[in-house]
Amino acid sequence: MDIWISKSLTMLVAIALLFIASGCEKLDNPLNPEVDSVQNNNPLPDEEAIPQEEKIKIGFSMDTLEEERWLRDRDLFKSAVESLGAEVEILAANGDDALQVLQAETLISQGVDLLVIVPHNAEAAATIVKKAHLAGIKVLSYDRLIKNADIDLYVSFDNERVGELQAESITKLVPKGKYVYIGGADTDNNAHLFKKGVFNILQPLIDKGDIKVVYDQWTKNWLPSNAYANMQEALNANGGKVDAVIAANDATAGMAIQAMIEAGIAGAIPVAGQDAELAAAQRIVEGTQTMTVYKPIPTLAEEAAKLAVAMARGEYIDTSRKVNNGKVEVPSVLLSPIAVNKLNIEETVIADGFHLEEEVYQGNNR
Ligand code: BGC
């Protein structure tokens, strides 16, 4: 009897222990569906009270929205950042250095996780980089390089190649003669790279005595009205007789062409620009501009957005290319530009959907 009682007690204790153990397991095992039901018995906390991972916020400080391309850069960059689950605050400085610094300070004080900058002035923007770094914010130089500063990444096109493409196209048509060079803003590092590329191609021909550069000036602040004045000056200084014009972008080329129209020589003299602006594409099919350089802005914006968000999340970005900005070897991503003329306009800018065929041709013959 004693044995029977003690056996029964032992079994009861064993069953009780098993029950407790299985109960504990249910509570602790996240894979057990019953856990949910146990937890669901408790009222759920207010959704807003659930701590959520903070959204990454990028600050985008732009020099200007003047040229057609910068509107694309702005819109494409915004949607690329948003599609990566982050957000972006964008401010544009209308070509004003002091305003750009002020706007960048605003973005820094808003606590952005990373700053992307298109500098108006390559040197002056170094102040922004210092301020951002003091606040623990990394800086990505977008399209234009910030000089003499510890920037973290540079994403752009191969801008020296842009100039080379321009000069290669024009020297094929005009291997000998008087050249006019209408430069960009000398405060923009890109303007220097474009010019370097042009002279990489021109210099051997200048040395041979085949080409003479009869006019070579920067265009203050990239303003097309200044390019117009430059072109008029170039024509006046040479009795209206020049053989080729290379302008640092399409907006300056457009006003140089305007001066040439007024002098009655438009269409007769090759002109190069860059940016593949719609107006330039139209001039190319009409015949007043010879070529432009197409820089696929969607690729630039998407690449920069991807890298900016990754860097803001603390990822390490490794690039095979480095560009010296006078202070450091900046990790860089440089995309390839494409030369566009009347013959390949369909298979480049139009095929890419950069411009619509009907907008480019406006009823003109192909
Ligand atoms: C850009 C060009 C642009 C120019 C004027 C340069 O830094 O690379 O695409 O036309 O600035 O805004």
Side-chain angles (χ1 to χ4, degrees):
M1 174 77 168
D2 276 358
I3 288 171
W4 184 85
I5 291 172
S6 104
K7 267 191 180 166
S8 307
L9 271 174
T10 313
M11 268 185 73
L12 268 174
V13 170
I15 289 169
L17 279 174
L18 246 174
F19 184 76
I20 292 166
S22 71
C24 285
E25 194 191 318
K26 269 179 199 163
L27 282 174
D28 287 348
N29 186 353
L31 296 175
N32 188 328
E34 284 181 55
V35 172
D36 285 339
S37 65
V38 171
Q39 286 175 339
N40 284 346
N41 287 339
N42 300 324
L44 260 182
D46 183 0
E47 226 181 77
E48 282 178 13
I50 298 174
Q52 290 188 347
E53 209 196 313
E54 286 241 344
K55 235 187 189 184
I56 292 287
K57 187 168 179 179
I58 307 289
F60 192 19
S61 161
M62 303 185 74
D63 162 26
T64 174
L65 294 172
E66 201 54 50
E67 282 85 12
E68 180 182 293
R69 66 155 290 180
W70 298 118
L71 294 167
R72 272 188 208 258
D73 288 89
R74 181 195 63 187
D75 297 347
L76 291 165
F77 185 76
K78 183 173 190 292
S79 56
V81 166
E82 286 172 355
S83 72
L84 293 163
E87 57 187 3
V88 58
E89 173 79 24
I90 306 173
L91 296 173
N94 305 323
D96 181 334
D97 280 344
L99 183 59
Q100 186 162 37
V101 173
L102 206 74
Q103 291 179 335
E105 281 171 347
T106 305
L107 295 170
I108 292 168
S109 66
Q110 280 175 4
V112 293
D113 298 289
L114 186 127
L115 205 52
V116 176
I117 306 178
V118 184
H120 170 251
N121 183 312
E123 301 280 350
T127 313
I128 302 175
V129 181
K130 273 196 202 132
K131 293 186 185 207
H133 280 177
L134 279 174
I137 298 168
K138 291 196 168 156
V139 177
L140 186 157
S141 215
Y142 182 102
D143 192 77
R144 298 177 180 169
L145 185 66
I146 300 174
K147 300 281 304 271
N148 296 309
D150 265 322
I151 48 174
D152 301 282
L153 192 64
Y154 170 48
V155 185
S156 184
F157 291 92
D158 183 339
N159 293 302
E160 203 171 314
R161 186 74 196 124
V162 169
E164 288 176 352
L165 290 174
Q166 290 184 310
E168 278 167 7
S169 303
I170 302 298
T171 52
K172 258 186 215 146
L173 299 170
V174 185
K176 291 181 181 190
K178 290 183 181 174
Y179 272 61
V180 171
Y181 185 67
I182 309 282
D186 72 339
T187 46
D188 176 359
N189 187 59
N190 281 351
H192 293 267
L193 296 174
F194 298 149
K195 183 170 180 178
K196 185 163 188 294
V198 166
F199 279 83
N200 287 347
I201 305 299
L202 294 191
Q203 200 56 52
L205 299 165
I206 295 170
D207 293 344
K208 259 170 71 182
D210 288 352
I211 283 176
K212 189 166 178 217
V213 178
V214 294
Y215 188 87
D216 170 6
Q217 286 294 324
W218 300 113
T219 300
K220 192 163 192 277
N221 280 333
W222 284 104
L223 282 180
S225 53
N226 292 336
Y228 174 74
N230 280 348
M231 191 64 214
Q232 279 189 325
E233 205 174 275
L235 290 173
N236 290 339
N238 292 282
K241 292 200 165 42
V242 298
D243 302 302
V245 178
I246 299 179
N249 73 356
D250 285 337
T252 52
M255 284 310 275
I257 290 168
Q258 183 54 38
M260 292 163 79
I261 290 172
E262 288 162 19
I265 54 168
I269 291 165
V271 179
Q274 66 111 0
D275 274 341
E277 282 194 353
L278 177 59
Q282 291 167 342
R283 289 192 295 265
I284 288 174
V285 299
E286 283 161 12
T288 51
Q289 184 168 329
T290 314
M291 65 89 68
T292 184
V293 180
Y294 170 45
K295 300 184 296 188
I297 304 300
T299 317
L300 174 70
E302 279 157 28
E303 191 65 23
K306 196 179 77 192
L307 293 167
V309 171
M311 249 200 320
R313 292 199 167 120
E315 283 174 38
Y316 172 69
I317 309 293
D318 196 18
T319 64
S320 52
R321 274 186 103 149
K322 304 274 182 282
V323 171
N324 191 298
N325 75 342
K327 185 164 192 200
V328 284
E329 292 288 324
V330 186
S332 304
V333 175
L334 300 183
L335 307 167
S336 299
I338 300 155
V340 172
N341 57 31
K342 209 172 192 162
L343 296 177
N344 72 351
I345 201 159
E346 291 266 1
E347 72 221 35
T348 53
V349 286
I350 293 174
D352 261 18
F354 198 70
H355 296 305
L356 295 177
E357 186 169 55
E358 53 272 29
E359 284 174 340
V360 170
Y361 287 96
Q362 303 175 96
N364 290 324
N365 287 339
R366 259 150 245 177

